[in-house]
């Protein structure tokens, strides 16, 4: 029987069993089987779908340093007088990574010489919000004035101001702007007024309101959604972008730190990956670099989990590998990264971290070696990294990869080879149809407990809806993930970290879907899958306890899936229950060992009657709804709505630790 028919059978079974008497579940808070990692539910950030530049990273100007191969990408130059000049100069003396500057020579007083930036699919400003315009410039002669405006596509002005330049050496000019109105698809226009010549670089328009008010920080609404997840870890910077299409275009963290105006640029690996979703203007500016990632993790209260290139480019692309006897620079990058994160300010890389504003260590505890690599070429490289890293930093936990799929020859090979290694975690990835997730809720109940722990590092149920981008984040996909996640939680002794993937997508610039959070230039939308993640993460508990139906784990019988945890800090019993049937279910949850008082429980439900329902930027149809239940004689009687996921929270004492 294939996955689809199994799923249909399960659905039919659920559908035709509505009238059954109450289903009894038994929860035993006194039978703790294991602790749960505080890092159990985290996030995986990759710069895909314009998630960094044009997304979480709040910079609004595309190609502000003219580093794209075509220097005017994103810009429109209006230079009506032939005698005026526009020149891109390669000036390695200023910076070896950001080498280009633009020279403007204006010979007449006419004000028509302008440069207009289109932003990332337009520039979005919010009414009354404040923005900082800045530009690095060297006025060489004359008295040029820069008029800075943000305009609607109709030409209507939303914000404006002027900068007077003074001949001299390179300096940063800044201008505070306030948006008179909201604009979605705006442009930034620089008009050069007067006569003179100037060189300029790093044109920037940045909101003042960033997450935690960090300079060079994150878009407040998007980071706020991440914050609400209460993630236990942040895995960064990818994904395939760690690997790059070839080794030259791999992610090198050292190019992403130091003054933002000196950071280089590389092509984003997702730029032309899918012809049907080509994004030729997709590059990585590294304004969001490793310092910012560490800072973000700290601001979210999450453990940082960087992934480093292990001398291998993406095997879906060139598959280029570094020669085995030439791995040293790659390994050195990994060792230096640990020093950057944890070294004292006396060390070379610790000093750089301090100079960027964080003298205290970031307290890095985990590192991933390679992303989604496979076969012998990965194993032999991983083992060399492992030896070097564990020798110098035995306390750092290492994440190894198990390849691109959830099973099969490559998967089995990786596990066989690495089972006895010193890897602390094996990273497993699964992008599969909803039926797979329902059918695999028991996946880890069967796993051998010897060897590395599991990091479910990338997963998402891939449904087939097509209408608009967010429609692949259907309710069915979220429900399937919830069912599967009860299995992850039940096996939290083995599965220590999990993250949905990918995390974010711009509705006008995506390459891959489904994604956890969709956004445009002004707004963000949490998918049903987001709320599933949030409910698991916000109520993750500290210890696993058993929940059974007729003495068996609950993984599909009567179309139900369940897991249960104890939160010893909050003094809560938490039960997560999924009803995949299209009929409601009456359940009686018998909770052993509660004092014989009358208790109340919170029940938080996510549901939709339509399996292809989804949330969009215009309409959040599926979101948590809360109600109270009475618990009498230790029994919580509830009705599970058709196709629903519900979390029950029973407070049996006062919280010991405030959340
Ligand atoms: O999440 C999208 C991609 O899926 C990741 O970059 C890669 O690791 C996997 O193939």
């Amino acid at each position: 029987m294939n996955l689809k028919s199994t799923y249909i059978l399960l659905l039919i079974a659920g559908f035709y069993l509505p009238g059954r008497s109450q289903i009894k579940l038994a929860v035993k808070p006194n039978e703790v089987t294991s602790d749960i990692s505080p890092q159990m539910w985290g996030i995986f950030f990759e710069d895909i779908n314009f998630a960094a530049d044009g997304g979480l990273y709040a910079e609004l100007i595309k190609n502000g340093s003219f580093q794209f191969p075509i220097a005017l990408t994103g810009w429109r130059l209006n230079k009506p007088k032939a005698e005026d000049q526009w020149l891109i100069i390669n000036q390695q003396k200023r910076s070896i990574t950001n080498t280009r500057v633009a020279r403007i020579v204006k010979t007449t007083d006419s004000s028509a010489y302008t440069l207009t930036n289109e932003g990332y699919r337009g520039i979005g400003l919010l009414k009354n919000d404040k923005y900082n315009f800045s530009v690095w410039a060297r006025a060489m002669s004359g008295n040029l004035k820069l008029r800075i405006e943000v305009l609607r596509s109709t030409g209507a002005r939303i914000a404006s101001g002027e900068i007077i330049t003074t001949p001299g050496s390179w300096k940063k000019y800044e201008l505070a702007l306030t948006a008179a109105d909201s604009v979605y698809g705006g442009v930034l226009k620089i008009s050069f007024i007067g006569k003179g010549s100037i060189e300029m670089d790093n044109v920037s328009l940045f909101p003042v309101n960033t997450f935690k008010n960090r300079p060079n920080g994150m878009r407040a609404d998007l980071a706020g959604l991440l914050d609400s997840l209460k993630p236990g870890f942040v895995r960064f910077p990818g994904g395939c972008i760690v690997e790059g299409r070839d080794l030259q275009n791999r992610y090198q963290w050292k190019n992403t730190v130091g003054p933002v105006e000196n950071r280089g640029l590389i092509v984003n690996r997702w730029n032309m990956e899918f012809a049907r979703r080509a994004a030729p203007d997709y590059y990585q500016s590294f304004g969001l670099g490793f310092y910012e990632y560490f800072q973000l993790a700290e601001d979210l209260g999450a453990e940082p989990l960087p992934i480093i290139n292990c001398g291998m480019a993406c095997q879906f692309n060139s598959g280029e590998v570094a020669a085995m006897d030439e791995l040293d620079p790659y390994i050195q990058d990994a060792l230096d990264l640990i020093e950057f994160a944890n070294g004292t300010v006396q060390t070379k890389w610790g000093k750089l971290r301090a100079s960027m504003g964080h003298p205290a260590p970031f307290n890095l505890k985990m590192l991933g070696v390679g992303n989604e690599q496979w076969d012998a070429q990965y194993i032999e490289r991983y083992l060399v990294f492992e030896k070097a890293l564990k020798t110098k930093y035995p306390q750092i936990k290492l994440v190894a990869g198990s390849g691109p799929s959830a099973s099969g020859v490559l998967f089995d090979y990786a596990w066989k080879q690495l089972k006895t290694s010193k890897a602390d975690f094996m990273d497993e990835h699964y992008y599969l149809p909803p039926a797979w997730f329902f059918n695999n809720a028991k996946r880890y109940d069967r796993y051998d407990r010897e060897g590395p722990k599991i990091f479910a590092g990338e997963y998402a149920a891939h449904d087939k809806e097509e209408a608009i981008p967010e429609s692949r984040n259907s309710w069915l996909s979220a429900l399937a993930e919830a069912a599967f996640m009860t299995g992850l939680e039940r096996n939290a002794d083995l599965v220590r970290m999990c993250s949905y993937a990918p995390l974010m997508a711009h509705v006008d610039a995506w390459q891959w879907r489904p994604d956890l959070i969709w956004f445009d230039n002004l707004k963000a939308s949490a998918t049903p899958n987001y709320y599933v993640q949030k409910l698991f993460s916000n109520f993750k508990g500290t210890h696993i306890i058993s929940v059974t139906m007729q003495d068996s784990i609950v993984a599909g019988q009567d179309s139900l899936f369940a897991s249960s945890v104890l939160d010893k800090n909050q003094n809560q019993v938490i039960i997560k229950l999924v009803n995949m049937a299209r009929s409601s279910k009456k359940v009686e949850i018998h909770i052993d060992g509660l004092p014989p008082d009358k208790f109340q429980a919170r029940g938080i439900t996510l549901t939709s009657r339509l399996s292809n329902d989804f949330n969009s930027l215009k309409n959040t149809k599926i979101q948590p709804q809360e109600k109270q239940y009475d618990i009498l004689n230790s029994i919580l009687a509830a009705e599970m709505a058709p196709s629903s996921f519900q979390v029950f929270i029973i407070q049996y004492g006062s919280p010991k630790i405030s959340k």
Side-chain angles (χ1 to χ4, degrees):
M1 202 172 350
N2 64 25
L3 285 176
K4 201 169 170 195
S5 45
T6 316
Y7 171 60
I8 290 167
L9 270 183
L10 282 167
L11 271 184
I12 292 170
F15 198 78
Y16 286 107
L17 287 171
R20 267 195 62 167
S21 56
Q22 293 200 324
I23 297 165
K24 289 191 181 150
L25 303 181
V27 175
K28 300 210 167 89
N30 295 330
E31 289 179 19
V32 166
T33 51
S34 160
D35 74 315
I36 296 169
S37 163
Q39 282 75 54
M40 182 71 181
W41 309 106
I43 54 177
F44 161 49
F45 183 89
E46 172 164 24
D47 188 4
I48 181 173
N49 304 318
F50 281 54
D53 290 330
L56 183 62
Y57 178 53
E59 175 61 73
L60 295 166
I61 302 300
K62 181 168 70 186
N63 190 21
S65 53
F66 311 102
Q67 286 290 116
F68 282 33
I70 298 173
L72 271 176
T73 303
W75 293 97
R76 202 177 63 245
L77 176 68
N78 179 22
K79 184 182 77 63
K81 297 228 177 288
E83 56 274 34
D84 288 347
Q85 209 187 79
W86 162 262
L87 200 61
I88 289 291
I89 307 178
N90 194 306
Q91 261 185 18
Q92 310 227 349
K93 264 191 231 145
R94 259 193 79 230
S95 158
I96 49 161
T97 37
N98 174 14
T99 54
R100 287 186 182 163
V101 303
R103 179 178 294 172
I104 288 103
V105 178
K106 189 150 174 287
T107 52
T108 65
D109 266 336
S110 131
S111 63
Y113 196 133
T114 61
L115 201 52
T116 306
N117 191 280
E118 66 188 21
Y120 296 94
R121 308 298 186 266
I123 290 176
L125 302 192
L126 288 167
K127 185 173 178 176
N128 295 331
D129 270 13
K130 297 192 180 339
Y131 297 84
N132 278 333
F133 171 86
S134 65
V135 60
W136 278 86
R138 179 168 80 102
M140 293 148 69
S141 64
N143 58 348
L144 277 181
K145 204 161 66 176
L146 311 187
R147 179 181 301 137
I148 311 300
E149 295 166 293
V150 179
L151 307 172
R152 286 191 197 285
S153 54
T154 57
R157 189 183 296 146
I158 301 297
S160 68
E162 285 186 351
I163 289 176
I164 314 247
T165 63
T166 40
S169 50
W170 280 96
K171 68 178 223 181
K172 188 176 184 181
Y173 290 90
E174 294 184 89
L175 177 70
L177 297 172
T178 302
D181 201 353
S182 292
V183 58
Y184 178 80
V187 294
L188 175 99
K189 183 172 172 189
I190 306 174
S191 304
F192 299 89
I193 298 166
K195 268 199 270 188
S197 55
I198 192 170
E199 284 177 352
M200 57 181 222
D201 197 2
N202 303 104
V203 182
S204 165
L205 182 64
F206 221 95
V208 170
N209 173 29
T210 58
F211 182 58
K212 306 264 180 196
N213 295 318
R214 296 277 173 214
N216 196 45
M218 308 300 138
R219 217 175 101 169
D221 60 336
L222 291 174
L225 279 172
L226 302 183
D227 200 29
S228 299
L229 288 171
K230 299 190 182 161
F233 65 90
V234 182
R235 174 183 164 207
F236 58 87
C240 293
I241 65 158
V242 171
E243 306 157 5
R245 295 188 147 255
D246 48 31
L247 285 174
Q248 197 188 338
N249 286 300
R250 71 189 188 279
Y251 196 102
Q252 298 185 65
W253 73 268
K254 287 176 182 166
N255 296 341
T256 77
V257 292
V260 72
E261 59 274 11
N262 288 346
R263 298 184 196 170
L265 175 106
I266 63 169
V267 64
N268 188 301
R269 184 259 181 210
W270 296 103
N271 174 304
M272 295 297 281
E273 181 69 15
F274 302 125
R276 66 184 190 284
R277 296 293 312 166
D281 59 340
Y282 200 1
Y283 285 78
Q284 296 178 82
S285 74
F286 297 126
L288 168 51
F290 260 43
Y291 178 86
E292 288 77 17
Y293 280 122
F294 278 114
Q295 184 66 72
L296 176 66
E298 187 173 274
D299 285 345
L300 294 171
E303 294 293 340
L305 170 49
I307 310 294
I308 39 136
N309 185 293
C310 64
M312 297 181 73
C314 184
Q315 288 162 281
F316 289 113
N317 299 146
S318 69
E320 187 185 12
V321 293
M324 283 302 290
D325 59 357
E326 291 179 14
L327 283 176
D328 283 355
Y330 296 81
I331 293 170
Q332 196 57 49
D333 275 358
L335 295 169
D336 291 343
L337 177 61
I338 299 172
E339 186 178 292
F340 177 73
N342 293 352
T344 66
V345 297
Q346 277 77 41
T347 61
K348 176 178 171 190
W349 294 104
K351 189 171 166 197
L352 176 63
R353 181 196 68 238
S355 75
M356 294 180 74
H358 204 289
F362 280 118
N363 202 9
L364 176 71
K365 301 188 184 91
M366 305 180 281
L367 187 66
V369 178
N371 169 45
E372 200 179 62
Q373 268 68 52
W374 62 79
D375 221 339
Q377 60 268 42
Y378 174 57
I379 307 299
E380 57 183 354
R381 281 168 185 75
Y382 168 80
L383 291 173
V384 178
F385 271 77
E386 181 187 277
K387 188 164 178 223
L389 288 163
K390 286 285 184 191
T391 303
K392 184 145 188 207
Y393 295 108
Q395 75 284 12
I396 296 286
K397 298 214 180 306
L398 296 183
V399 178
S402 64
S405 33
S407 58
V409 177
L410 294 172
F411 178 86
D412 293 342
Y413 174 76
W415 260 107
K416 187 164 175 242
Q417 297 299 317
L418 295 177
K419 183 120 197 148
T420 52
S421 72
K422 293 200 173 75
D424 298 277
F425 302 96
M426 281 292 269
D427 181 8
E428 298 193 349
H429 295 178
Y430 14 86
Y431 297 104
L432 288 154
W436 183 91
F437 283 82
F438 286 117
N439 286 330
N440 279 273
K442 285 188 188 161
R443 176 181 174 94
Y444 294 109
D445 294 289
R446 303 188 271 257
Y447 255 54
D448 182 0
R449 261 52 188 169
E450 295 300 310
K453 302 286 186 198
I454 304 295
F455 170 30
E458 292 181 30
Y459 61 90
H462 278 216
D463 210 352
K464 292 253 177 283
E465 298 307 318
E466 290 296 344
I468 61 168
E470 305 99 304
S471 65
R472 285 262 176 102
N473 283 93
S474 66
W475 171 237
L476 179 64
S477 71
L479 189 68
E481 286 153 13
F484 181 75
M485 287 163 74
T486 61
L488 298 177
E489 188 169 83
R490 185 172 52 251
N491 289 283
D493 61 313
L494 173 70
V495 183
R496 303 297 279 179
M497 294 190 290
C498 316
S499 44
Y500 182 99
L503 188 60
M504 287 184 184
H506 192 300
V507 285
D508 297 327
W510 58 274
Q511 292 77 49
W512 177 299
R513 63 180 179 169
D515 303 285
L516 202 64
I517 295 167
W518 288 88
F519 61 90
D520 66 12
N521 289 343
L522 295 179
K523 300 185 295 303
S525 156
T527 59
N529 317 68
Y530 171 92
Y531 288 118
V532 166
Q533 293 290 325
K534 182 173 170 177
L535 288 173
F536 271 88
S537 180
N538 283 200
F539 299 102
K540 64 173 175 269
T542 54
H543 293 81
I544 319 168
I545 54 179
S546 85
V547 48
T548 52
M549 188 193 294
Q550 293 173 337
D551 292 328
S552 300
I553 60 168
V554 190
Q557 314 93 297
D558 278 317
S559 304
L560 294 178
F561 299 81
S563 57
S564 186
V565 301
L566 197 63
D567 191 319
K568 289 194 180 178
N569 298 324
Q570 297 298 314
N571 280 337
Q572 291 170 339
V573 172
I574 299 161
I575 301 146
K576 305 196 177 81
L577 196 52
V578 172
N579 175 20
M580 73 179 280
R582 285 195 231 165
S583 56
S584 61
K585 302 264 156 168
K586 287 190 172 144
V587 290
E588 262 186 10
I589 307 176
H590 294 244
I591 305 147
D592 252 14
L594 284 182
D597 321 353
K598 183 175 161 191
F599 275 93
Q600 285 225 307
R602 293 166 67 195
I604 306 177
T605 303
L606 272 179
T607 185
S608 170
R609 284 193 172 257
L610 299 174
S611 61
N612 60 358
D613 230 0
F614 58 92
N615 291 342
S616 69
L617 286 163
K618 291 201 184 83
N619 194 351
T620 309
K621 289 190 198 164
I622 304 164
Q623 53 183 309
Q625 308 289 337
E626 184 157 348
K627 73 179 222 180
Q628 294 289 119
Y629 290 93
D630 283 333
I631 301 181
L632 290 172
N633 301 323
S634 301
I635 299 173
L636 193 165
E639 176 138 342
M640 289 291 293
S643 286
S644 66
F645 167 46
Q646 189 156 184
V647 182
F648 300 97
I649 303 122
I650 301 152
Q651 192 76 47
Y652 61 84
S654 316
K656 288 184 201 145
I657 293 177
S658 63
K659 273 198 179 172

